[in-house]
């Protein structure tokens, strides 16, 4: 995986190089998925319906409106999802909470795998309906190129979404580099700063005005607290006359 740290990203707030981000395999797959979804959606919307001598439009896929509706749905939602996850990838390194990063990666794994399956269904459904389309249902071969484009790019979309799923699983398995994050970062809160040391020979820690104070010296010797008196009773000598 590219990147070091929590789920493939670097330290929180690290500078992101746009050129390096654009060259990442995940970014390339995301852009290809966006283009393929756009082709599937636009092909059916623009030329997927034909007019056969009446005002009513018919779907080019065996006049089955469900085939066109399904292709439009998968292409449009895939297009929007690619835009969303592209922005999430770009902002991923700025997410400070490890738990939030884990949720984002799990969302990507689930959605990418599910959408690869939906594109597989789209490819099979559209190809099956196109094979059943006869010449009398599609006069002058209207919309044939759009139908073939929708089928072909549905197949290409299966490959890209499977690739995105694999990359997301790899990112999830990479897990968390705990050396980059404290327990406070796990919840997204800033780490608490310890009290500064005022002892020249050791470390002084305190819990407050009434708390205990521990002084660690080089020899770990016991020191009496200040303002204490010697418990030994003073010796009184009787004067000799």
């Amino acid at each position: 995986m590219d990147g070091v740290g929590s789920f493939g990203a670097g330290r929180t707030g690290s500078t992101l190089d746009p050129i390096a981000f654009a060259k990442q395999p995940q970014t390339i797959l995301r852009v290809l998925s966006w283009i393929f979804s756009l082709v599937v959606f636009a092909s059916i919307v623009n030329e997927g319906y034909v007019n056969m001598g009446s005002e009513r439009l018919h779907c080019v896929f065996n006049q089955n409106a469900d085939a066109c509706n399904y292709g439009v749905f998968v292409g449009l939602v895939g297009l929007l999802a690619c835009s969303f996850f592209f922005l999430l990838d770009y902002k991923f390194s700025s997410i400070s909470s490890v738990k939030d990063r884990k949720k984002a990666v799990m969302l990507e794994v689930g959605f990418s795998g599910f959408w690869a399956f939906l594109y597989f269904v789209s490819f099979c459904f559209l190809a099956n309906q196109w094979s059943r389309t006869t010449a009398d249902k599609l006069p002058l071969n209207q919309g044939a190129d759009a139908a073939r484009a929708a089928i072909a790019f549905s197949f290409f979309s299966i490959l890209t979404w499977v690739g995105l799923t694999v990359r997301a699983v790899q990112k999830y398995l990479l897990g968390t580099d705990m050396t980059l994050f404290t327990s406070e970062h796990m919840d997204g809160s800033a780490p608490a700063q310890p009290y500064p040391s005022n002892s020249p020979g050791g470390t002084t820690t305190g819990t407050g005005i009434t708390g205990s104070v521990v002084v660690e010296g080089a020899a770990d010797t016991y020191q009496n607290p200040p303002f204490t008196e010697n418990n030994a009773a003073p010796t009184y000598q009787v004067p000799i006359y």
Side-chain angles (χ1 to χ4, degrees):
M1 287 295 294
D2 301 313
V4 179
S6 174
F7 297 100
R11 296 176 180 270
T12 303
S14 58
T15 304
L16 179 64
D17 186 5
I19 299 179
F21 173 76
K23 293 181 179 180
Q24 292 180 358
Q26 182 171 335
T27 303
I28 297 175
L29 289 173
R30 190 84 66 197
V31 173
L32 290 177
S33 298
W34 189 90
I35 295 175
F36 296 163
S37 297
L38 178 62
V39 173
V40 173
F41 169 74
S43 297
I44 299 178
V45 170
N46 292 334
E47 301 182 25
Y49 296 89
V50 294
N51 190 335
M52 301 179 60
S54 63
E55 296 181 356
R56 184 178 179 181
L57 297 177
H58 298 275
C59 179
V60 296
F61 295 98
N62 197 28
Q63 296 184 0
N64 188 346
D66 292 336
C68 287
N69 293 336
Y70 184 83
V72 170
F73 168 75
V74 174
L76 178 60
V77 177
L79 183 67
L80 297 176
C82 286
S83 302
F84 169 77
F85 283 110
F86 182 85
L87 181 62
L88 182 62
D89 292 340
Y90 190 79
K91 297 292 185 181
F92 191 77
S93 60
S94 63
I95 301 177
S96 60
S97 175
V98 176
K99 292 182 178 179
D100 292 340
R101 289 188 177 189
K102 182 177 180 180
K103 293 177 181 178
V105 173
M106 292 179 63
L107 174 63
E108 183 180 357
V109 171
F111 186 89
S112 298
F114 179 65
W115 223 250
F117 171 75
L118 290 188
Y119 263 117
F120 174 76
V121 175
S122 175
F123 169 74
C124 296
F125 188 23
L126 296 181
N128 176 265
Q129 292 301 308
W130 180 248
S131 64
R132 297 182 179 183
T133 303
T134 58
D136 59 319
K137 294 181 180 180
L138 197 64
L140 301 178
N141 209 23
Q142 299 180 43
D145 293 337
R148 296 188 184 97
I151 295 173
F153 283 93
S154 292
F155 176 76
F156 297 152
S157 296
I158 298 173
L159 304 179
T160 55
W161 281 100
V162 168
L164 288 173
T165 305
V166 173
R167 294 291 297 181
V169 170
Q170 290 177 347
K171 188 190 299 185
Y172 180 80
L173 295 179
L174 185 62
T176 305
D177 185 1
M178 297 305 297
T179 61
L180 302 179
F181 295 88
T182 62
S183 60
E184 290 82 3
H185 281 113
M186 294 290 291
D187 298 327
S189 59
Q193 297 295 331
Y195 292 107
S197 175
N198 294 326
S199 176
T203 302
T204 303
T205 60
T207 59
I209 298 176
T210 59
S212 60
V213 178
V214 180
V215 179
E216 300 177 359
D220 294 332
T221 57
Y222 174 79
Q223 297 181 0
N224 291 327
F227 306 108
T228 57
E229 297 180 355
N230 190 1
N231 294 330
T235 302
Y236 178 77
Q237 297 181 358
V238 180
I240 300 176
Y241 300 100

